[in-house]
């Protein structure tokens, strides 16, 4: 289904949402979809989230929910929520870990075998279950169900001024083109290109296509770590 999106992005075309009135109407529809779906999903997944919270608490010491500042709409910072998947106050940093493993340091680099991740955390990451608390971020308006990846400030500052403005012109999302295009296997550069493509090609139909493709992408756990 996303082949249509990818082929259309390769050829220049006029904006899909042309007039300010239509852009505003599209934004309202997107926000309504976010509110309704995130509320429903929170109710549906609440029992599972309680079980996950208990598993995280029993598997290792530390807070159940991990909070981290990310760059949001209009470069406004917000606190993103996730279930904790790493050992609390680990002494091994990502830079040290990558260098010890012979990797070149790159933004968004994720080592496949990260000793900082707990046993429960590894399972949660496989199915993206650690991201369920972000439904709260969506419900309160920090994020959208679909959008660019919520990046950290250090990654955001590496972009060109034009790309920075474009990337934060919409809310970051729980899922997006990056999620349905390879998850952990895509490079940082490719992920940024997908984020920018999403902004250029946005329409409500694209959000619905991505949402439909997210579950199969999550179930293909070979692309996640």
């Amino acid at each position: 289904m996303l082949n249509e999106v990818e082929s259309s992005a390769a050829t220049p075309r006029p904006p899909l949402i042309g007039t300010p009135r239509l852009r505003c109407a599209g934004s309202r529809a997107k926000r309504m979809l976010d509110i309704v779906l995130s509320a429903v999903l929170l109710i549906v997944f609440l029992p599972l989230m309680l079980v996950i919270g208990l598993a995280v608490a029993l598997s290792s010491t530390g807070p159940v929910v991990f909070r981290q500042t990310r760059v949001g709409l209009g470069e406004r910072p917000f606190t993103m929520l996730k279930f904790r998947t790493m050992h609390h106050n680990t002494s091994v940093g990502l830079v040290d870990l990558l260098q010890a493993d012979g990797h070149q340091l790159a933004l968004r680099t994720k080592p496949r075998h990260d000793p900082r991740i707990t046993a429960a955390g590894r399972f949660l990451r496989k199915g993206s279950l650690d991201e369920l608390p972000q439904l709260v971020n969506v419900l309160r308006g920090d994020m959208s169900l679909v959008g660019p990846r919520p990046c950290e400030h250090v990654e955001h500052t590496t972009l060109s001024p034009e790309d920075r403005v474009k990337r934060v012109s919409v809310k970051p999302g729980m899922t997006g083109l990056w999620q349905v295009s390879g998850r952990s296997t895509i490079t940082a550069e490719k992920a940024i290109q997908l984020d920018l493509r999403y902004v250029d090609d946005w329409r409500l139909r694209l959000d619905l296509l991505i949402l439909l493709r997210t579950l199969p992408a999550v179930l293909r756990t070979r692309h996640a770590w």
Side-chain angles (χ1 to χ4, degrees):
M1 277 185 290
L2 284 178
N3 290 338
E4 173 190 346
V5 175
E6 293 172 355
S7 61
S8 64
T11 57
R13 61 181 180 177
L16 295 168
I17 308 295
T19 67
R21 180 175 296 179
L22 287 176
R23 284 199 299 269
C24 185
S27 297
R28 286 198 297 267
K30 180 177 175 69
R31 179 57 185 153
M32 185 59 65
L33 180 68
D34 284 342
I35 292 173
V36 172
L37 278 184
S38 63
V40 170
L41 291 174
L42 274 172
I43 294 172
V44 170
F45 287 120
L46 182 59
L48 176 60
M49 292 174 69
L50 293 175
V51 173
I52 291 174
L54 181 61
V56 171
L58 293 176
S59 66
S60 60
T61 59
V64 169
V65 176
F66 174 71
R67 294 171 170 83
Q68 189 175 54
T69 301
R70 298 292 176 99
V71 179
L73 179 66
E75 295 190 325
R76 289 191 295 271
F78 72 97
T79 301
M80 190 185 73
L81 307 176
K82 297 179 70 172
F83 283 119
R84 180 175 57 82
T85 58
M86 291 188 177
H87 293 285
H88 187 51
N89 290 333
T90 177
S91 60
V92 181
L94 178 58
V95 175
D96 296 332
L97 180 63
L98 291 171
Q99 291 176 342
D101 202 30
H103 287 82
Q104 290 185 343
L105 181 63
L107 291 173
R108 306 293 299 183
T109 301
K110 295 175 67 175
R112 188 155 194 159
H113 303 289
D114 191 336
R116 301 173 302 167
I117 301 176
T118 65
R122 200 169 301 279
F123 173 78
L124 294 179
R125 287 191 174 199
K126 281 285 186 181
S128 295
L129 296 174
D130 58 316
E131 298 178 2
L132 284 175
Q134 291 169 31
L135 288 168
V136 176
N137 286 122
V138 174
L139 191 59
R140 65 190 188 189
D142 300 326
M143 295 175 61
S144 178
L145 289 171
V146 183
R149 295 165 305 115
C151 68
E152 298 178 58
H153 179 71
V154 63
E155 179 185 8
H156 182 65
T157 56
T158 64
L159 304 179
S160 68
E162 180 183 353
D163 287 347
R164 285 202 298 270
V165 171
K166 180 185 292 187
R167 201 170 185 276
V168 297
S169 64
V170 298
K171 292 178 183 177
M174 287 186 66
T175 186
L177 287 176
W178 49 274
Q179 175 78 308
V180 300
S181 301
R183 300 179 70 183
S184 298
T185 61
I186 63 175
T187 64
E189 293 77 12
K190 178 65 173 177
I192 291 170
Q193 290 173 9
L194 290 170
D195 286 341
L196 299 176
R197 178 188 297 178
Y198 171 81
V199 177
D200 286 335
D201 283 1
W202 182 83
R203 59 174 127 182
L204 197 60
R205 181 171 177 269
L206 176 58
D207 277 12
L208 296 175
L209 286 173
I210 291 173
L211 287 172
L212 287 174
R213 288 290 298 271
T214 295
L215 181 58
V218 168
L219 293 177
R220 291 194 294 269
T221 56
R222 69 179 183 274
H223 288 159
W225 51 80

